[in-house]
Amino acid sequence: VWRAQSSEPTLFNACTSAHMVVTAGTALALWDARQRPSAPSSVLSTAPGAQAHLASQLLCVAADPQLPHRLVAGASDGTVHLWDARSQTRSHRGAATSAAGAAQGVPPLCSLGVHTADVWAVQLVNVTHGQLLSCSSDGTLYASHLNLIEGGGVQHAGAKNEPARTLVQLALPINSLELSQRHGMLACASDAQVLTFLDLRS
């Protein structure tokens, strides 16, 4: 029913956020599913103005189920980035790259150097261990704290007194994770051909 050509060399992941479809490549592109456009309505970039071919790749993206304007993405350099999609401006809309090939778009609210390798999955949650889950090729699954403020903003992240907590540590990459908010059960899958389950209710 709808097909659009992205300007990205590769798209790694996608998610839905309210009426938007969000795709991840060198940047996050927001597509209005109601209008089914030929170009994204806005772009969220890790480094606006930087050359797109030098930017880290965004391998995964997720929206906050409670506040869908809040988006998180994991990158190929081990960094996790958080955006508020409401911060888009008219100058950013519909322009993924400039004529010189520089990535345009809204910068993240914050960036966390959580992992040492590709981040393959992220999820925004509300558990005592933290508000952000991420897993990586470095074999770790972390829960990180984001100091969220009323209205969905971020005061600061990765405070020294609230380090990322290791929930799973394996010798091989962890490729995916999923926390059931209803049951509190966290599952992750790895190259070790192992499924790991944790109960985060406690």
Side-chain angles (χ1 to χ4, degrees):
V1 296
W2 173 36
R3 177 175 291 177
Q5 180 62 51
S6 169
S7 61
E8 293 275 16
T10 304
L11 292 175
F12 294 98
N13 199 218
C15 74
T16 56
S17 171
H19 59 274
M20 306 298 290
V21 175
V22 184
T23 57
T26 57
L28 296 185
L30 280 65
W31 306 77
D32 191 330
R34 300 169 301 181
Q35 299 178 3
R36 301 178 183 176
S38 58
S41 58
S42 61
V43 174
L44 311 178
S45 175
T46 58
Q51 293 296 312
H53 70 283
L54 299 178
S56 58
Q57 305 295 304
L58 298 178
L59 305 176
C60 55
V61 60
D64 189 322
Q66 303 300 320
L67 299 168
H69 57 267
R70 185 186 292 146
L71 299 167
V72 63
S76 56
D77 63 358
T79 306
V80 177
H81 305 277
L82 182 74
W83 284 270
D84 186 334
R86 299 172 302 180
S87 61
Q88 64 190 17
T89 63
R90 290 188 180 189
S91 61
H92 296 121
R93 292 178 184 172
T97 58
S98 69
Q104 303 300 304
V106 179
L109 291 173
C110 65
S111 299
L112 303 175
V114 180
H115 296 277
T116 59
D118 298 332
V119 180
W120 289 116
V122 288
Q123 188 175 355
L124 289 165
V125 297
N126 185 20
V127 294
T128 57
H129 302 77
Q131 296 82 37
L132 170 65
L133 299 175
S134 59
C135 65
S136 168
S137 291
D138 63 12
T140 58
L141 192 162
Y142 286 133
S144 303
H145 283 280
L146 300 171
N147 290 332
L148 307 178
I149 60 178
E150 187 176 352
V154 176
Q155 191 170 31
H156 65 280
K160 291 182 179 179
N161 62 339
E162 294 180 318
R165 179 174 177 179
T166 304
L167 299 183
V168 181
Q169 175 74 66
L170 300 174
L172 293 174
I174 299 176
N175 303 313
S176 65
L177 64 86
E178 178 65 25
L179 173 67
S180 168
Q181 296 281 11
R182 180 178 180 183
H183 304 291
M185 185 68 71
L186 172 64
C188 68
S190 75
D191 278 5
Q193 300 178 333
V194 170
L195 289 172
T196 303
F197 297 91
L198 298 125
D199 188 345
L200 297 189
R201 292 173 297 181
S202 58

